[in-house]
Amino acid sequence: MTHKRKHEPTQPGNPRALTIRQHIHSRWSISRFADDDGRVAVLRHGQSAPFLATAENDVFCAKRVWGQNLEEGLFDKIERAFHAAVESILATGSVVDHRAVTAYLSIWRIRAQLAEQPPADTVLRGIKGSSLSKDEEEILEKKGYAYARPGGTMPGRFGAFIDAHRRHDMTMSRIEGVRWGVLHAKECEGLVCSDRPGNELYLPIAPRVVLVAGYRDLDIGAVSVDDLNDSSHRQARDFVFGHPNDVAALVARRDSLRTGP
């Protein structure tokens, strides 16, 4: 299980509007799989039945694991470009901005890693730090600054900024040239999505649309969808989610395979 670290609370009422609940996979992406009531089904490992949740459910979030500078900087910029790319994909059936897809996969993986292993506070040698009030600290964070407390201790969420940029640069230098194909599920149940990226380069973006690196645009049927859903389930750390009908189909197939004909 993840996200057990106790987050640092803000002032009562969060007057500086700092982001406390930080989505690992973007709420917009999760909502693409929702039913008419705005809910997806979540199937945890080891559980027999899924539960329903909106994209705002804590299961999809870390809490103040990274700083506001990262939330409103690198992550927000890449999310916006990805969402624009997805809108284009769903309208045209093809990927135009391949880099936007790859960049989003990169930050999704980074956010999952940070949530699983929240960065510890760091003691900066040679830095005395400052005795700021809670409000002064939050004003600085909202404006994109980091700070050190007396003794030179810097909250770990600020260290995440450097680590995330480094990881993202390394990922993009390695796979920036990836080309993505659009696979459409036809005449079968739809796709489910893992709680974080697996080792393979594919990304479900809607119940019947998945992006797969190195493929051409094509239609797929039940066998391919089952293979992709099985892979998502295996590679998930804690859970998969999707449209309630599609998760129900995954559970039914899983149970049928266990019991046999």
Side-chain angles (χ1 to χ4, degrees):
M1 198 65 61
T2 60
H3 323 325
K4 292 297 184 182
R5 164 190 161 277
K6 180 66 176 178
H7 71 282
E8 180 178 349
T10 64
Q11 299 177 84
N14 192 14
R16 302 303 170 186
L18 298 172
T19 304
I20 298 173
R21 298 168 66 257
Q22 298 166 323
H23 278 76
I24 298 167
H25 198 19
S26 74
R27 62 172 59 83
W28 184 91
S29 297
I30 298 164
S31 296
R32 279 281 176 193
F33 292 82
D35 63 11
D36 291 341
D37 294 321
R39 302 174 302 176
V40 297
V42 179
L43 179 65
R44 288 190 182 276
H45 285 318
Q47 292 190 343
S48 59
F51 64 90
L52 298 176
T54 70
E56 296 302 323
N57 192 286
D58 280 351
V59 73
F60 297 115
C61 301
K63 289 190 175 180
R64 274 194 107 187
V65 170
W66 51 85
Q68 201 72 17
N69 54 358
L70 194 53
E71 177 76 10
E72 295 184 347
L74 180 72
F75 290 167
D76 182 69
K77 177 183 177 182
I78 289 175
E79 270 194 26
R80 289 177 182 274
F82 173 67
H83 296 162
V86 169
E87 292 286 3
S88 172
I89 292 164
L90 295 177
T92 67
S94 294
V95 179
V96 175
D97 191 348
H98 295 266
R99 191 180 190 282
V101 175
T102 305
Y104 180 77
L105 188 73
S106 171
I107 66 161
W108 184 20
R109 180 170 287 124
I110 289 166
R111 292 193 293 208
Q113 292 167 341
L114 289 171
E116 290 157 17
Q117 296 182 314
D121 294 351
T122 302
V123 177
L124 304 175
R125 294 185 178 182
I127 302 294
K128 293 182 179 180
S130 302
S131 297
L132 301 171
S133 69
K134 188 74 169 175
D135 191 46
E136 288 171 333
E137 288 183 346
E138 292 185 0
I139 290 172
L140 286 174
E141 182 168 354
K142 183 64 176 180
K143 291 182 176 181
Y145 295 102
Y147 52 80
R149 290 168 173 150
T153 300
M154 182 179 72
R157 63 182 177 274
F158 297 134
F161 180 89
I162 298 172
D163 190 35
H165 277 268
R166 178 184 59 82
R167 293 187 197 184
H168 179 65
D169 289 345
M170 291 174 62
T171 297
M172 295 305 290
S173 67
R174 187 174 70 252
I175 62 172
E176 184 173 11
V178 162
R179 307 289 289 179
W180 295 89
V182 183
L183 278 58
H184 287 88
K186 299 288 186 180
E187 299 180 0
C188 61
E189 300 296 340
L191 297 141
V192 301
C193 187
S194 173
D195 54 358
R196 61 214 61 221
N199 297 321
E200 301 175 29
L201 297 179
Y202 67 87
L203 177 56
I205 60 171
R208 298 192 176 279
V209 186
V210 59
L211 309 180
V212 183
Y215 275 64
R216 60 182 176 83
D217 300 342
L218 75 160
D219 294 339
I220 57 175
V223 172
S224 295
V225 168
D226 287 345
D227 287 344
L228 287 167
N229 285 346
D230 287 345
S231 182
S232 291
H233 197 220
R234 285 194 307 270
Q235 296 190 61
R237 181 178 176 87
D238 294 329
F239 62 86
V240 293
F241 71 90
H243 189 282
N245 292 344
D246 299 327
V247 175
L250 175 68
V251 171
R253 194 171 69 85
R254 179 199 65 183
D255 293 346
S256 69
L257 291 173
R258 286 177 178 174
T259 58

